[in-house]
Every structure is written in C-alpha cells, then in structure tokens.
Amino acid sequence: MNLILISALWGVVMMFSGLFIANKSTAKTIAVVGALVLLAGNLFDLSGKMIIDSNFNGMLQYDKFGLLFLTVIVLALLFYFLLSGKAIQEVGNHSYEYFALMFFIMSGIGLVALFNNLLILFIGIEIVSIPLYILTGADKKNLKGNEAALKYFLMGAFSTGIMLMGIAFLYGATGSFQVDKLNLTANDNFTIFLVIGVVMIMISLAFKVSAAPFHFWTPDVYDGAPTVFTSFMASIVKAAVFIGFLNLFMNGFGTITGKWQLSIAIITALTLFIGNITAVYQQSVKRMLAYSSIAQAGFMMFAIFAVNDMSKQGLLLYAAAYCLATIGIFAVLVKMKDFTIDGFNGLAKKEPLIALVVTVCFLSLAGIPLTAGFFAKYFVLAAAIKTGTYLWLVIFAVLMAAVSVYYYFRVIQAMYFKEGNSEMAETSSGFKGLLVAVAVLIIVLGVAPNLLLNWLILY
Amino acid sequence: MTALLLILIPLIGGFTAFFIKEEKQVKMWSLAVAFASLAVMSYGLLFAFNLDNKVFVAEWLPQFGSSFALLMDGVSTLLCLLTVVAYPVIFASTWKSKYTSPNSFYGLMLLTQAGILGVFLAADGLLFYFFWELALIPVYFLCSKWGGEKRIAVTFKFFIYTFVGSLLMLVGLIYLYYQTSDASFSMQSLYEVKLTVTQQAWLFWLFFIAFAVKMPVFPFHTWQPDTYEQSPTAVTMVLSALMVKMGLFAVVRWLIPLFPAGALMFDNVVIGLSVVGMVYASVLAMQQDDLKRLVAYSSIAHIGLMSAALFVNNESGMQGAMIQFFSHGVNVLGMWIVVELIERQFGTRKMSELGGIAQKAPTLAILLVVVALANVALPLTNAFVGEFLMFNGLFKFNLWYAAVGGLSIILSAVYTLRMIQKVFFGNENAVTVNTTEINWYEKTSLAVIVVAIFVMGIYPKPVFALVQETVTMILGIFK
C-alpha cells in the first residue's frame, strides 16, 4: 500500500515542483529522491508496516511475491532515473511532468502487482497505460512519435475495452470480481460466458505484454517513442504487466490450466517465432530491441504457461535480469549518434568500458551463463519442463534462443571486431560508474541467483 | 584442493592478465600461471593423490539441488593433466607471435583454460553446463578478434552450432533433474535416475548432439575446418588439443552412464557416422593445400575413431579411446606447433609454395617427422597404443566397421607423408631460401611433445592405470 500511495503523491509533488522550480535539472534530483522514498516505502511494505494497513475488503492482497517483485521494479526505476534522468530532461520542455507521469505509472504498477479483484487489475492497467500514451508522444515535433502515440492510444484503448468486457463476462459466469473467489474447477460445465471472459482477458493481457499475434503495435511504438521512454516501456512496464498476468492466471485460473494451457502455448510459440525471426532483419538497434522485447516476452510467457512455484522464481529473476540489461543498453543507445548497428562499429576502441557493459547486457539478454539472463531463462524453462507436458515448446524455445544470439551478437561484433568511428555523446564518470554497477549486478545474479530468490523462498 | 586450485589459478590469473598492459610482462605472467597450474597438478598427482585432493564440494544453489562439486577421477585426471601440460607448451611455442592488445588475448586464453578444466572436473550437472558454455565465450572472442580474414562469420557459425547443441543439452538436463528422487543435479543422483527406454532414447539425442558438435562427429563437423583455419594458431591448439576432448569426455562421464540403454540402442548409428566421417575427412585431407586445413581434417578423422571406439562396449575399445584422448592431444599440438613455426617464418601455409626446409632447419625437420609418424600411429609412438586398442575393439564389435575405418589409417599415412615431403624435402624455392633454424624454446616445446610421444609409446602403463577406473565403471553400467 505504501508504494501505491507514495508514488501517486510523489507524482503530484513532481507536477507542482514543475510550477515553482524554473531550473530543469532539479527534476532528476527530485525524481531520484522520490524513487528512494518509494524504495523505503516498499521495504516497509515488505516488513508489514504500512501507512494504511487495509486490504480494502480483499481487493488487494499483500503477498510476498508481489511485494518482492515491486522491490525489483523500484530498484530498476532507481537505476533508470540515475542513468537516463538527464536524457528525460532533454526530451522536451516538460521534464517535471514526464517524471510525474512515471510516478503515476508506478502507482498503477503497484495495483497490478497486488490486485485481488479484477476491477483493481483493470484500474491498474489503465493507470499504467494512459500516461504511457502521453509519454510516447512526448516529443511533439516528431511525426513518427505522434503517429506512434495515436496508434498506441487507439489500440491500447481497444484492448482495455476488451479486458473490461472479459471481466464483465467472467462476473456473469462466476458472480464475483474477487480473484480468489472465482472458484473455477476443471470439472465445471463451462458456460460460454466463462470461456468468452477468460479468452478476452487473455487477449487483452497478451496485447499489453506484446505477445504475438497481438504485438503489432510494439515495433512502431517502441521505435517512434523518444528512446528514453522506450527504455522505460520495454523494461519496467513490460515486466510489471507480466506479474499481473501471472497473478491472475495462477490465483484465478490456476485450477483450470488444462482449459487454457494450449492457447498460451500457441501464443508463446508464435511470440518467440515472430519476435526472434523479425529481429534478425533489423538494421536499427532500437527497432531490433523492440522485436527482441517481443521475443523476451515469449520467454516470460513460459512462466504464465507453467503456473507453478518455479514460474514465480523465474519471473522474478527474469524481471530483474531483463530490466537491468534493457535499461543498461538503452542508456547507452540514447547517447549514440547513429542508431543503426553500423553506428556501433569500433565502439570498443573508443569507449572500452561502455562497450564491455553493453556486451554484458547483450550476453544477458541472450542468456549466456555467468549472466543473470541465463538463470532467468533457466528458471522459466525449468518451470515449463516441470509441468511435464509440451516439451516440444521448450525445445522450440531454445532453438529460438539460438536465433536471438544472432542479432544480439551482431552488435557485439560491430563494437569489437569491426573498424569504424562510432560517435557517442560525452559521458560523465558517474554515468560510467553506474553502468559498471549494472554489469556487476547482472554478473552477481548470474553466479548467485539465490541472493534474490532466497528472499522469495526462505524469509 | 587440487581440483579447486586447477580452476582458480587460471581464472584469477586470467582476470589479472587483463590489467597488465606491457606485452612482455603479460606473456611472462601467463606462462607463470600456466606453469603454476602444471605445478599444482604434478604435486597433486605425485604426492597427494588422495580423495581429499580429488573431490571438492561447496554450496552453490542449495534450494535448486546444485552444488559446486568437483571430482577428479580416472579419465578426468588424464585430461586435466593434458590441459595443464598443453598450456605452457602453447605459450612457449607461440612466444614470438604478436597480438594487438596482448593483455586481452592472454587473459581470454587463461579464462578458456579455467573453463576447460571446469568441464573436466565438474561433478554436478548444472555446474557442468555452466563451464561448458564458459569455455566457449572467451574462445568466441579470441577467434573473432585475432583470427584470419573471414574470422567473424566463421567463428559465429562455430558459436551458433555449439550454442544450439548445448541448449538442447540444457533442456535434457532440466528434464533429468525433475526425474531425480532428491531433486538434485549431483552426478550421483543423475546416475541413479531410472528412465524408460523411450526416455533414454530421446534424451540421448538431446545430449549427444551437443557433444557431437563439439567433437565434431560427421555430419556436425562443418564448422571445424573453417574455424581451425581462421583462428590464430595458439587458439587452434586449444580448440583441437583440448576443447574437442570436452565432447569426448562428456560422452564418458555423462552420456553413457546416464543413458546406457540409449547408447546401446544407437551404437550402430554413432559408430556408423564416425566411421563415415573418418574416411570422408581423410579423403578431404588428401586434397588440401593449406597446412591448417590438412591438420583440421586429419583431426576429424582421428576424433571419429575415438567416438566410434567409445560406443563399442568392450574393454579394449574404451581403453584405447581414453588413452588416445591424451595421445591425440599431444600429437595434434605438435602438428600445430610446426604449422605455427612455418607460417610465422614464411608467411604462408600453402604446401605448394614451400619446400626444402629440412636443409636449413634439420632439428625442426626431425622433430616434425617424429610428430608426423605419431600422427600415422606408427609402433613405438603413443598413438599406436591407442589406435591398436581401438581397432581391436571395433573389430570385436563388427568386422566391417573396422575394415572401413582401417582405410583411414592408410590414408593418414598418405597425406601426412606427402605433407612432410612437400614442405620439408625437395628443392628450396624463393620463399624458403632464407630458412633459419628454430630457437631454443621452440625446440624445447617440440622436444617435450616428442619425449611424451615416445614415453607413452614405450611405457603406457601409468596411463592405463588412470583410465582403467573409468573403463571399469562404464562396463559395469552396461552390465
């Protein structure tokens, strides 16, 4: 509860400070302080000390998984602000508002992570989505950005509508909005209402996490939005929607896995295929990362597919690994003059440290051992194998992971093995230090993932 | 303790090497680290070869049933020995080669050593997978950065091939993990899993493809000649003397003990592919003009014989294969050293452009002839012991495999002797007229190899004793 409240309030604080403080660069400082306060509030949440200690008639549930997940997200937000705060200020004249919108999104993420009522899920998703439409179009003079924002808004609104309709159907079938009171059993006589409800919710959530075949907005929106905001969308927001997805399917539909598992399996396979294969053909790193984020969503879908204890661990680790790597790469990408892969040619000679960090991030995305990405993939795949069914899906996924190596390594090859004069904006030593911290965290989690997972399992 | 130190020394030494900017110093440092590993291994082998030194277990991921467990048993000891012997020889023989940013080069080389030793020692499924991949990453950078013209594409092919293989193995490994009674990755728990024949059949292939790519067995070999050709020779030495042994070793330690029924079911397939590969690679080797490609194809032929012999399910075949792990490592290292010396001096590897080197460099010629004869498996050389036993085993399994495979021995004599003739004898030409003799440390490196060839050829008993433990274990499983 702390996190939801504080982030909403801090959003308001940010907006008003924009009125009273003329200096643009103070925005980052206030935002970083806000992220720290959020972190503190969240840690109090974890230890059970809340400002308002109520679950609102069971509409929220404070389970350890959700709270731990939020901790990871808030930490990612902190890194994001520290690394990309300056770039956010440079997007346009409304830097305070941008930060404010992100705090509102955090509030929505809190709801999505802790909901126990379908309406809260809906409200959470809306609170996450609406500021995102604005952020996508933040660069008003950029035509591509405007197009992306409009596209995102229309399609996003449509998918939320489908979700609401699905919730209504589900209510009609079960008579409850409460996730833990849906009481679905596999032997039920499935009414058409129930089927429509589940399918509609599945479609809209698949849209939000950009799973195929509902992914068409992703490349355009990620490519069109200002690069810093793409970073935010592709990492923090995406991971957060996944936890809502998992919570609903685990706590609500976990008893009827047999009914929807095949559909999720097909969505997973399609997502992996489309994301990976299309990414191979991209020349722009930004667009490649957009497709790669679809591909990564395919791997996270395994957690939804399996719905067991391993999926919780897997998704937690995946969120951490994926957010770290994505934020790290985008922080560097923002500084690049040329977003194509050739633009990275010879970066290792000019900026050996930054090239090294980017390499670690890409290795992590590809899932190479010794990086967090390996264990993230390991756990989600293990979750799927544990179900004992659909082994073909896992084998298909690892083949796709091999495809992903192809496009991730192209950037590494460009940086290290190709001659070129890649141009990059000046970077401060603090920025480099933070990047190194990101790389170190990725490797630490890659050697000892239990540092994070123990919190979920033991304490 | 020895087991742990073997991994730690090159690991720490490798990371340190990145920070030594001076070329000479980083070379000295790497050589020192390589010798330190050798010293630790020899000390462990000679004075403290007890259980304490061979086993190491530490906590890693207790909740997920994986521990940092190392075990140095029979054949694993032999391969660790090969690795620690090979590294000083590699560094010494390539002492004069110049590399841009030598600190990264030597750092990555030492990290590779740590990864390879980890593979040979790991006694935990997940840890094994970890090292298996770790050995690959530095090699990827080594080949792509310091290799020949086509290095980037070629290395990438190699990387993707092995990566696909190892991911399939990972799927199999996780599946196996869920079948264990105590949810553990430890070698013992995995060995004890009871699988149906169908499960064994497809798990066998998930694992075998990973290992077959690494060895490489025909038809998974297409990455190998290109990669060997394009890599800097020091890396090629690591690849062909040590890394291919990872695949063979994995068959011994993991594949056969885990899926004995699968191994019995597909023995004809594997042996058949291997034998075809032997003859095919030998024929191709005869047509090569480039020295590196010649050695590469000859290596495929030799590996084919070993992988066939591992599946014959009789004592002499297995003994022979495991002894050959070591012998092939030594011999191929010798071949590469000669190639490296020739290329550095004359700037070409084409046999058609060379000739008459023996007149000015007699020592090099003599040493090469010994290595080459070992490559052909002449009696008194180390390879004879192994190849004789392997053919004996193959013969017992099926006469026809032995007969067809035997062709490759004849062919190997053809291409090896032809190479000696073309490169070392005949008339001098414009390229080779200014030949100079090799210097003392290059002589020493080659001499070490030649001594090893003869010692093992005449007195192979210590090696027999080492591999017997593993052979008995595997034959016990088959029964």
Side-chain angles (χ1 to χ4, degrees):
Chain A
M1 193 65 219
N2 292 355
L3 181 119
I4 301 170
L5 278 181
I6 296 174
S7 49
L9 287 176
W10 206 272
V12 178
V13 169
M14 285 295 313
M15 268 164 70
F16 275 97
S17 18
L19 282 182
F20 298 114
I21 304 172
N23 188 354
K24 244 168 89 173
S25 56
T26 333
K28 180 185 167 187
T29 321
I30 302 179
V32 169
V33 173
L36 285 171
V37 176
L38 272 191
L39 185 63
N42 184 254
L43 291 179
F44 277 114
D45 267 345
L46 259 177
S47 58
K49 298 186 185 69
M50 302 186 199
I51 305 172
I52 301 177
D53 196 1
S54 158
N55 63 3
F56 301 92
N57 301 322
M59 290 181 118
L60 293 176
Q61 54 149 0
Y62 305 107
D63 67 331
K64 199 168 60 177
F65 174 54
L67 291 172
L68 208 53
F69 197 89
L70 286 176
T71 316
V72 171
I73 295 286
V74 174
L75 277 173
L77 182 80
L78 187 62
F79 268 107
Y80 171 68
F81 280 164
L82 286 170
L83 276 169
S84 304
K86 258 208 193 105
I88 297 174
Q89 289 164 8
E90 284 157 12
V91 170
N93 289 328
H94 305 279
S95 48
Y96 286 90
E97 281 79 355
Y98 304 146
F99 284 109
L101 288 171
M102 281 186 238
F103 277 104
F104 292 141
I105 290 175
M106 283 310 285
S107 178
I109 288 174
L111 290 174
V112 171
L114 301 174
F115 77 96
N116 186 33
N117 186 304
L118 289 169
L119 290 178
I120 297 286
L121 173 69
F122 172 74
I123 293 172
I125 293 272
E126 274 300 77
I127 296 180
V128 172
S129 302
I130 292 171
L132 275 184
Y133 305 144
I134 307 171
L135 287 179
T136 307
D139 189 359
K140 286 188 216 159
K141 287 177 198 121
N142 186 346
L143 267 182
K144 248 171 108 187
N146 288 338
E147 185 199 330
L150 189 65
K151 208 176 213 168
Y152 192 20
F153 172 66
L154 288 176
M155 295 180 88
F158 195 60
S159 92
T160 356
I162 290 180
M163 170 183 268
L164 196 57
M165 202 131 77
I167 291 174
F169 271 110
L170 204 59
Y171 180 78
T174 62
S176 173
F177 284 126
Q178 292 292 96
V179 174
D180 55 355
K181 291 191 183 132
L182 290 176
N183 293 330
L184 303 170
T185 51
N187 308 324
D188 273 354
N189 194 9
F190 269 56
T191 57
I192 190 77
F193 283 180
L194 186 61
V195 175
I196 294 180
V198 172
V199 168
M200 281 186 152
I201 292 177
M202 192 193 288
I203 289 176
S204 67
L205 283 172
F207 174 91
K208 294 290 175 195
V209 298
S210 64
F214 313 105
H215 66 283
F216 290 101
W217 59 275
T218 317
D220 291 341
V221 171
Y222 281 16
D223 198 21
T227 312
V228 265
F229 297 141
T230 310
S231 166
F232 183 73
M233 274 189 262
S235 55
I236 294 172
V237 174
K238 174 164 270 190
V241 180
F242 258 108
I243 190 190
F245 209 155
L246 182 64
N247 270 349
L248 179 62
F249 275 67
M250 194 176 239
N251 305 333
F253 306 153
T255 47
I256 50 163
T257 45
K259 306 280 179 189
W260 51 260
Q261 214 160 23
L262 182 64
S263 327
I264 292 283
I266 292 171
I267 291 180
T268 309
L270 268 180
T271 312
L272 284 168
F273 184 76
I274 293 175
N276 280 305
I277 299 295
T278 328
V280 167
Y281 297 102
Q282 303 308 317
Q283 292 308 320
S284 147
V285 175
K286 193 176 172 189
R287 212 170 163 81
M288 182 269 272
L289 283 169
Y291 281 105
S292 122
S293 94
I294 297 176
Q296 299 285 345
F299 276 98
M300 288 191 255
M301 286 298 288
F302 272 105
I304 318 285
F305 166 78
V307 285
N308 52 30
D309 55 332
M310 287 297 265
S311 16
K312 281 188 179 181
Q313 296 159 14
L315 198 58
L316 186 67
L317 202 59
Y318 216 112
Y322 177 64
C323 286
L324 279 173
T326 310
I327 290 173
I329 293 172
F330 270 107
V332 175
L333 187 66
V334 173
K335 309 250 173 196
M336 300 296 292
K337 288 259 153 57
D338 180 1
F339 282 181
T340 62
I341 292 180
D342 290 337
F344 280 79
N345 281 356
L347 186 69
K349 256 201 192 111
K350 246 180 161 175
E351 296 278 1
L353 195 67
I354 290 180
L356 184 68
V357 173
V358 174
T359 305
V360 170
C361 290
F362 273 118
L363 290 179
S364 180
L365 283 181
I368 307 284
L370 213 68
T371 61
F374 167 69
F375 274 110
K377 281 207 170 69
Y378 166 78
F379 278 106
V380 290
L381 292 181
I385 295 175
K386 197 178 182 185
T387 62
T389 49
Y390 298 101
L391 215 64
W392 58 268
L393 188 61
V394 180
I395 291 179
F396 180 71
V398 297
L399 293 179
M400 286 297 126
V403 174
S404 78
V405 167
Y406 178 79
Y407 52 85
Y408 291 136
F409 271 55
R410 274 176 73 195
V411 185
I412 299 180
Q413 285 168 358
M415 290 190 301
Y416 278 94
F417 314 134
K418 292 197 175 146
E419 298 294 322
N421 198 11
S422 82
E423 282 180 66
M424 192 175 175
E426 281 295 306
T427 49
S428 65
S429 55
F431 176 80
K432 281 184 187 159
L434 274 165
L435 275 181
V436 171
V438 168
V440 167
L441 264 179
I442 288 177
I443 288 174
V444 166
L445 281 179
V447 178
N450 42 356
L451 286 180
L452 175 63
L453 297 178
N454 275 352
W455 291 94
L456 187 64
I457 303 164
L458 297 181
Y459 309 118
Chain B
M1 216 38 206
T2 308
L4 180 66
L5 279 177
L6 278 181
I7 296 177
L8 277 187
I9 291 174
L11 190 71
I12 296 171
F15 279 119
T16 318
F18 281 105
F19 297 100
I20 306 176
K21 295 283 179 223
E22 188 70 36
E23 182 178 355
K24 188 123 194 220
Q25 278 170 352
V26 76
K27 281 185 171 174
M28 292 294 278
W29 169 254
S30 316
L31 195 63
V33 173
F35 270 117
S37 310
L38 179 61
V40 167
M41 183 74 196
S42 339
Y43 177 82
L45 211 53
L46 294 175
F47 302 109
F49 203 51
N50 52 32
L51 206 61
D52 260 3
N53 265 317
K54 294 198 276 187
V55 177
F56 179 84
V57 180
E59 205 171 70
W60 184 32
L61 302 169
Q63 296 91 14
F64 311 111
S66 184
S67 58
F68 190 88
L70 306 175
L71 167 67
M72 192 156 77
D73 64 353
V75 71
S76 136
T77 317
L78 190 65
L79 286 171
C80 289
L81 185 66
L82 175 65
T83 312
V84 294
V85 170
Y87 257 82
V89 175
I90 293 174
F91 285 145
S93 61
T94 57
W95 188 263
K96 270 197 187 161
S97 303
K98 296 263 180 253
Y99 304 104
T100 51
S101 50
N103 55 339
S104 314
F105 182 85
Y106 283 96
L108 289 169
M109 283 289 274
L110 288 171
L111 292 185
T112 313
Q113 188 188 5
I116 293 173
L117 284 168
V119 170
F120 292 152
L121 289 168
D124 178 283
L126 195 60
L127 189 69
F128 168 74
Y129 179 81
F130 222 69
F131 279 123
W132 180 269
E133 290 280 298
L134 275 196
L136 181 63
I137 303 295
V139 168
Y140 169 76
F141 281 95
L142 281 169
C143 298
S144 299
K145 176 118 176 124
W146 288 276
E149 251 174 76
K150 288 181 288 180
R151 62 187 194 280
I152 298 179
V154 164
T155 315
F156 202 41
K157 182 172 162 192
F158 162 57
F159 187 84
I160 297 267
Y161 262 63
T162 41
F163 193 63
V164 170
S166 37
L167 281 173
L168 291 177
M169 172 170 82
L170 181 65
V171 174
L173 199 60
I174 301 174
Y175 184 85
L176 210 55
Y177 161 76
Y178 282 118
Q179 310 298 317
T180 53
S181 49
D182 53 347
S184 158
F185 274 110
S186 81
M187 197 161 82
Q188 225 43 52
S189 312
L190 293 176
Y191 279 7
E192 281 159 12
V193 174
K194 297 271 177 294
L195 296 166
T196 65
V197 176
T198 340
Q199 282 174 323
Q200 291 215 12
W202 61 264
L203 280 170
F204 175 86
W205 282 104
L206 283 185
F207 275 70
F208 182 69
I209 290 178
F211 305 152
V213 169
K214 206 76 153 196
M215 285 186 224
V217 171
F218 177 86
F220 302 101
H221 67 283
T222 51
W223 60 267
Q224 192 250 33
D226 292 340
T227 311
Y228 282 13
E229 186 194 353
Q230 293 295 322
S231 306
T233 310
V235 182
T236 314
M237 292 178 192
V238 174
L239 279 173
S240 69
L242 306 174
M243 280 196 90
V244 294
K245 303 299 181 306
M246 282 166 47
L248 291 161
F249 168 78
V251 169
V252 175
R253 181 173 260 184
W254 299 97
L255 187 73
I256 296 180
L258 288 178
F259 319 114
L264 283 180
M265 197 188 301
F266 297 111
D267 53 0
N268 270 305
V269 181
V270 175
I271 295 177
L273 286 177
S274 307
V275 169
V276 170
M278 281 162 69
V279 177
Y280 171 78
S282 302
V283 171
L284 282 179
M286 291 200 312
Q287 291 156 0
Q288 302 305 320
D289 189 33
D290 186 305
L291 282 173
K292 266 189 157 178
R293 288 189 85 85
L294 183 140
V295 181
Y297 279 112
S298 124
S299 185
I300 296 182
H302 288 111
I303 298 286
L305 181 56
M306 284 184 251
S307 73
L310 283 177
F311 285 86
V312 295
N313 188 18
N314 58 45
E315 190 170 12
S316 87
M318 297 228 170
Q319 275 178 341
M322 288 180 211
I323 289 174
Q324 190 69 359
F325 286 179
F326 193 86
S327 305
H328 173 260
V330 170
N331 297 348
V332 88
L333 200 54
M335 296 291 275
W336 287 124
I337 292 176
V338 176
V339 173
E340 160 80 6
L341 294 177
I342 292 174
E343 187 183 5
R344 203 190 305 148
Q345 198 171 111
F346 306 110
T348 176
R349 296 190 303 256
K350 297 232 178 298
M351 286 196 276
S352 50
E353 291 172 16
L354 296 163
I357 297 176
Q359 296 170 16
K360 296 270 173 66
T363 325
L364 176 63
I366 294 169
L367 292 174
L368 168 78
V369 169
V370 175
V371 174
L373 292 180
N375 200 39
V376 188
L378 220 66
L380 278 190
T381 64
N382 56 356
F384 174 72
V385 183
E387 294 213 354
F388 176 76
L389 285 169
M390 285 192 285
F391 270 106
N392 191 9
L394 208 55
F395 188 80
K396 281 185 200 157
F397 181 80
N398 184 324
L399 171 66
W400 289 105
Y401 287 135
V404 177
L407 279 178
S408 77
I409 294 214
I410 304 169
L411 294 178
S412 85
V414 174
Y415 58 74
T416 313
L417 296 177
R418 202 175 56 117
M419 176 198 78
I420 300 180
Q421 188 193 347
K422 275 194 171 175
V423 175
F424 283 85
F425 302 110
N427 295 325
E428 286 175 326
N429 59 25
V431 180
T432 57
V433 74
N434 293 322
T435 311
T436 51
E437 183 63 295
I438 52 176
N439 59 29
W440 67 270
Y441 47 82
E442 290 158 350
K443 273 183 201 160
T444 320
S445 325
L446 270 175
V448 168
I449 302 249
V450 167
V451 168
I453 286 174
F454 279 128
V455 169
M456 269 189 64
I458 297 166
Y459 187 64
K461 202 178 152 208
V463 187
F464 267 108
L466 270 181
V467 300
Q468 195 55 46
E469 182 187 345
T470 316
V471 173
T472 321
M473 188 234 358
I474 289 182
L475 290 175
I477 288 170
F478 274 131
K479 280 181 189 121

